[in-house]
Amino acid sequence: MLTIDKLNDFGANTSEGLKRCLNMESFYLDLVKTAMNDEQLVKLGKAIENNDYDQAFEITHSLKGVYSNLSLTPLCEPISEMTELFRSKTQADYKAMYDLVMQRFNEFCNL
Amino acid sequence: MYDHFGTKQNIHRKVLVVDDELINRLLLGNIVGRDYDVLYAENGVQAMEQIKKNAKTLSLVMLDLMMPEKDGYEVLEELKNSPELCRIPTIVLTSEKSAEVKSLSLGAADFISKPYDMPEVIMARVRRSIELAESYRMLNRTERDSLTGLYNKEFFMEYCERYNSFYPNSHMDALVVNINKFHIVNELYGRDKGNHVLQKVADVIAEFTSGENGLACRNTGDVFYLFVPHRESYDDLVSALNSSAGKIPINVRIGICEKTDSSVGIEQQFDHASLACGKHRGSQMCAYVFYDTSLREKELYNERLLREMNDAIKSKQFCVYFQPKYNIRGDKPRPTSAEALIRWIHPELGFISPGAFIPVFEENGLIHKLDRYVWNETAAQIRRMKDKYGLSVPISVNVSRVDIYDPKLEETLLETIKRHDLETSDMLLEITESEYTNNSTQIIDTVTRLRNDGFKVEMDDFGTGYSSLNMLSSLPIDVLKLDMSFMRHICENEKDLQMVKLILDIAKYLGVSTVAEGVEKEEQYHLLKDAGCDVIQGYYFSRPLPSDAFEKLFEEELSCLQ
């Protein structure tokens, strides 16, 4: 069962996230569960495979907003970095970055 | 108003949250939902549907920028270009600094960054944006004329004053624009069409003032005020205004006061422009006129004449002069009657021409009082002629437009006759041709009653009105007075002479006597005598005379006869 403590252990800034949710714990946890069921990371993987940086930018930009609003720091940080790289269409090892994000995401989903 | 509806009336305002991410929508909706009813949209297309559906009740849109189908910028653009929807404030949701500038330039009221600020900050920004928008709408409603969208006068003057404070040495023109005879537009086409015309005129004015970096307001009715940088010509504005109403023909007149003195205030500048506009009424020469100090001096002069009229009557500053009329039917011309003419000998201003004070008194209705004075003085003179010389010298007096509509006219004239123990045939009544043609039914009724009482009626200034030959045969008159303009060129212009002959023939045929006014030369006298004119009045025989000189003239005439 997902709890605030588990999210803290994961590295999320739950106090900040809770403040945005008016300290409504169940509401916050529902939103976090919704984020767990989001399929955008799968689409991101495909966009990276296809070198579609525009599509990749849109997805990471969107996820950045969601993760930062929920203060899911371990996810927010790499996604933010990827967003800026995609925005400037910089050549980088996106596969490696993506793998890191997926690793953390899987860890997140298993909370 | 914000508190009134929010707390006292317990009415929740509506806020629309637009974001393609469900989590973001729910998070924001949860924060805002404490104080507002929240609507949601996933993209720009849905957002516009919600906005249009709730246009009258939506207080705020919280708008993400990057969305599928239609992004936030497109929504902002659409709102900005809609007169109905642009009033709804928008707060943009963005984490991009560069987007903030673009959003604000597209009309966004504020922005909230991502990740979202703390709820208290968000609520403060939401509340502030709604308050500002509602205050602006309230201000707009009170500062604008509801029909035309121009400023109303109070706000306009306030803004002009403010401009003058910041730029006291600016060279600005105050314009007063008036649509000539606008009441006729309402009468002919109806008030709705009349209002439409006013809106069209206002549109032209708004465009003009916008292009000139000026201001405009609708004062009252069909009067507009403009405050624009000075220019020498307003031909383009006049042309645009006169063609603004499409098939409905209108003509404007404009009074302009150029600010040449920094001490002249806004109110005074527009007073001067109004004066110029008013004095310009009826002028066909040019549609606009610049105020100059002579107009103000004239206005002050006229005000003085009005103010001092009553005292002038009491202290006998008004003198009635008498211009003899000579019967030229016999071998020798003989004075047989006269016309009473008013003169004002002012103790400070000296001789004031009737041309200066009569139009002023006519405009204000005071001519009524002056006419009665003249009738009384004239009746007294006729009485003196009878008593002194045993002579009945009929004298004609003017009956003004104001007098014709007076229900007591007949009674007053009869009282005057009775007071001086005269006959009604002793006093001739002169009514101008233009009064006959302007109000023929009323005139005919009034004149018929007066003639039934025994008064003789003269149509004065014949040739200056619009009577047709057909009308002449049916109008109740005893004497036709040809205006002096007919006499001017009869010596050198055959056509003019023939015209006078024609009129004299028609008068003879109708059994009406004729008087030729303004005869100054011997040649004119002979031509008129040969043409059959009955009486001549003019400087050739005599100028208007004061009472004693008038009496002396008849004394000499009598002694010649004896």
Side-chain angles (χ1 to χ4, degrees):
Chain A
M1 196 174 85
L2 182 65
T3 63
I4 295 294
D5 287 337
K6 284 181 182 176
L7 283 167
N8 283 336
D9 290 341
F10 172 66
N13 187 345
T14 59
S15 62
E16 189 184 84
L18 275 167
K19 276 184 192 161
R20 284 198 190 93
C21 293
L22 305 175
N23 295 312
M24 294 158 68
E25 192 177 300
S26 59
F27 177 66
Y28 175 65
L29 289 174
D30 281 343
L31 291 182
V32 170
K33 285 173 197 169
T34 305
M36 286 174 176
N37 294 321
D38 195 326
E39 300 205 346
Q40 292 207 76
L41 282 174
V42 173
K43 291 180 188 168
L44 176 60
K46 288 193 176 128
I48 290 171
E49 261 181 48
N50 297 332
N51 293 319
D52 187 349
Y53 290 176
D54 288 335
Q55 173 76 350
F57 168 72
E58 279 183 28
I59 295 169
T60 53
H61 181 272
S62 203
L63 287 173
K64 173 183 153 189
V66 170
Y67 294 155
S68 61
N69 273 337
L70 295 176
S71 297
L72 300 173
T73 316
L75 293 169
C76 189
E77 284 172 353
I79 283 291
S80 294
E81 191 187 342
M82 288 174 83
T83 303
E84 295 315 309
L85 290 170
F86 283 131
R87 188 200 303 275
S88 58
K89 295 188 170 57
T90 306
Q91 292 294 327
D93 188 354
Y94 289 113
K95 178 82 176 46
M97 290 180 185
Y98 177 72
D99 288 342
L100 173 64
V101 169
M102 285 310 296
Q103 182 197 323
R104 291 192 183 174
F105 184 72
N106 289 330
E107 191 186 326
F108 167 63
C109 290
N110 291 324
L111 290 176
Chain B
M1 183 179 135
Y2 190 92
D3 278 338
H4 179 77
F5 279 113
T7 56
K8 292 181 184 168
Q9 298 290 319
N10 202 31
I11 293 172
H12 273 195
R13 289 173 170 76
K14 274 188 205 162
V15 173
L16 173 66
V17 173
V18 186
D19 198 309
D20 55 333
E21 285 294 334
L22 173 65
I23 288 169
N24 291 342
R25 289 199 303 274
L26 292 176
L27 225 159
L28 206 50
N30 187 54
I31 294 171
V32 173
R34 284 184 300 171
D35 290 348
Y36 301 94
D37 290 340
V38 186
L39 306 172
Y40 298 96
E42 292 179 19
N43 54 55
V45 172
Q46 286 185 12
M48 287 313 301
E49 282 169 7
Q50 287 278 37
I51 291 168
K52 285 172 186 170
K53 191 174 152 190
N54 297 280
K56 286 192 185 340
T57 53
L58 198 56
S59 291
L60 180 74
V61 175
M62 303 185 81
L63 179 69
D64 186 25
L65 289 177
M66 282 185 67
M67 293 181 291
E69 295 194 53
K70 185 181 275 190
D71 67 25
Y73 291 123
E74 290 174 271
V75 171
L76 282 172
E77 192 89 51
E78 230 176 289
L79 293 178
K80 188 180 173 188
N81 293 330
S82 164
E84 192 204 357
L85 303 176
C86 65
R87 60 150 198 97
I88 305 173
T90 307
I91 294 180
V92 159
L93 312 166
T94 181
S95 54
E96 311 293 333
K97 272 284 175 225
S98 58
E100 289 170 8
V101 174
K102 188 175 175 185
S103 309
L104 290 171
S105 68
L106 282 173
D110 201 355
F111 48 86
I112 288 173
S113 57
K114 287 178 183 174
Y116 295 147
D117 290 312
M118 288 298 106
E120 312 83 61
V121 175
I122 291 176
M123 288 308 290
R125 293 177 106 111
V126 164
R127 189 184 169 97
R128 189 74 189 127
S129 293
I130 293 174
E131 253 179 28
L132 281 172
E134 286 179 357
S135 297
Y136 176 78
R137 274 202 300 278
M138 185 59 71
L139 178 67
N140 218 28
R141 226 170 265 148
T142 54
E143 80 175 359
R144 298 274 171 177
D145 170 58
S146 57
L147 176 67
T148 61
L150 297 177
Y151 288 118
N152 62 39
K153 191 187 169 192
E154 286 69 35
F155 277 90
F156 171 79
M157 288 305 209
E158 169 69 30
Y159 292 139
C160 290
E161 292 278 7
R162 220 180 281 177
Y163 183 91
N164 262 4
S165 303
F166 282 110
Y167 307 104
N169 297 317
S170 61
H171 195 186
M172 300 293 280
D173 284 348
L175 275 67
V176 173
V177 176
N178 191 298
I179 304 174
N180 290 325
K181 296 190 177 23
F182 183 69
H183 63 280
I184 295 179
V185 172
N186 278 333
E187 281 166 26
L188 286 178
Y189 301 98
R191 206 156 268 283
D192 283 349
K193 263 285 191 285
N195 284 344
H196 180 74
V197 168
L198 290 175
Q199 284 166 338
K200 287 294 174 197
V201 166
D203 287 346
V204 167
I205 287 173
E207 194 179 330
F208 177 81
T209 50
S210 169
E212 298 285 311
N213 287 323
L215 297 167
C217 79
R218 181 177 168 225
N219 182 19
T220 55
D222 61 328
V223 178
F224 299 85
Y225 283 7
L226 286 70
F227 192 59
V228 291
H230 172 71
R231 36 147 77 190
E232 294 296 322
S233 165
Y234 285 92
D235 290 338
D236 54 339
L237 176 62
V238 167
S239 177
L241 288 171
N242 285 344
S243 52
S244 63
K247 288 183 182 163
I248 298 177
I250 61 168
N251 274 297
V252 299
R253 66 180 187 275
I254 307 179
I256 305 156
C257 178
E258 179 187 348
K259 183 177 148 199
T260 51
D261 180 352
S262 59
S263 68
V264 172
I266 283 292
E267 295 267 6
Q268 194 176 12
Q269 202 177 352
F270 276 98
D271 281 346
H272 291 166
S274 272
L275 181 63
C277 188
K279 288 299 168 199
H280 190 45
R281 191 191 303 267
S283 168
Q284 302 296 321
M285 298 299 291
C286 183
Y288 57 91
V289 65
F290 281 84
Y291 169 86
D292 64 52
T293 50
S294 67
L295 278 176
R296 181 64 184 151
E297 282 161 14
K298 184 101 182 28
E299 184 77 358
L300 289 172
Y301 180 77
N302 289 346
E303 281 170 15
R304 183 176 180 180
L305 296 181
L306 287 169
R307 213 169 43 243
E308 297 184 11
M309 184 201 157
N310 281 334
D311 282 344
I313 289 179
K314 280 183 199 155
S315 58
K316 300 261 180 193
Q317 292 173 29
F318 287 109
C319 304
V320 182
Y321 277 34
F322 303 96
Q323 186 169 32
K325 298 181 198 175
Y326 280 70
N327 188 311
I328 59 170
R329 299 309 298 145
D331 294 332
K332 195 177 166 211
R334 292 181 49 243
T336 53
S337 58
E339 181 183 355
L341 298 163
I342 187 79
R343 296 289 181 266
W344 190 350
I345 317 295
H346 192 282
E348 286 169 24
L349 300 173
F351 175 81
I352 305 177
S353 158
F357 62 84
I358 288 183
V360 173
F361 293 160
E362 278 181 336
E363 203 176 303
N364 282 275
L366 288 179
I367 195 72
H368 185 80
K369 198 163 181 173
L370 194 63
D371 281 346
R372 273 140 189 76
Y373 173 80
V374 171
W375 300 343
N376 195 58
E377 291 292 298
T378 302
Q381 180 66 56
I382 298 169
R383 184 73 251 159
R384 277 199 297 279
M385 300 296 281
K386 285 181 191 283
D387 293 341
K388 261 183 164 176
Y389 310 109
L391 278 174
S392 279
V393 181
I395 302 179
S396 59
V397 293
N398 286 298
V399 178
S400 311
R401 180 170 56 88
V402 171
D403 299 317
I404 288 163
Y405 288 107
D406 180 4
K408 289 192 175 174
L409 171 65
E410 192 185 351
E411 182 188 325
T412 305
L413 285 167
L414 290 171
E415 264 173 24
T416 306
I417 293 293
K418 190 178 172 186
R419 195 181 316 125
H420 296 277
D421 192 25
L422 300 175
E423 303 292 330
T424 49
S425 56
D426 287 328
M427 198 147 81
L428 312 168
L429 307 177
E430 292 195 12
I431 298 174
T432 64
E433 183 196 6
S434 55
E435 283 314 310
Y436 272 93
T437 52
N438 286 346
N439 307 287
S440 47
T441 311
Q442 171 87 28
I443 288 276
I444 288 171
D445 286 344
T446 303
V447 168
T448 303
R449 283 201 308 277
L450 291 168
R451 290 177 86 219
N452 288 342
D453 291 330
F455 288 104
K456 294 274 186 277
V457 175
E458 301 186 357
M459 181 189 275
D460 195 11
D461 299 339
F462 177 75
T464 59
Y466 297 97
S467 53
S468 62
L469 293 176
N470 188 41
M471 284 172 73
L472 270 184
S473 63
S474 57
L475 290 174
I477 54 172
D478 298 290
V479 180
L480 199 68
K481 284 188 82 174
L482 277 71
D483 186 70
M484 60 179 69
S485 57
F486 279 113
M487 311 307 141
R488 221 160 267 145
H489 301 294
I490 56 169
C491 299
E492 59 269 20
N493 189 317
E494 183 60 28
K495 271 190 187 168
D496 284 11
L497 178 60
Q498 290 305 322
M499 177 61 72
V500 168
K501 284 181 177 177
L502 177 64
I503 294 168
L504 292 172
D505 284 344
I506 291 172
K508 200 180 296 305
Y509 180 75
L510 294 174
V512 169
S513 306
T514 48
V515 176
E517 282 190 283
V519 176
E520 295 176 350
K521 297 188 273 193
E522 185 178 358
E523 200 183 344
Q524 287 171 323
Y525 155 64
H526 287 295
L527 285 170
L528 286 163
K529 184 176 167 66
D530 292 342
C533 183
D534 298 306
V535 174
I536 274 177
Q537 179 182 341
Y539 274 56
Y540 173 65
F541 285 119
S542 175
R543 57 185 167 78
L545 301 168
S547 173
D548 49 359
F550 179 69
E551 288 174 18
K552 192 158 179 231
L553 182 140
F554 276 89
E555 243 182 64
E556 284 167 6
E557 184 68 20
L558 268 179
S559 61
C560 284
L561 290 174
Q562 277 159 4

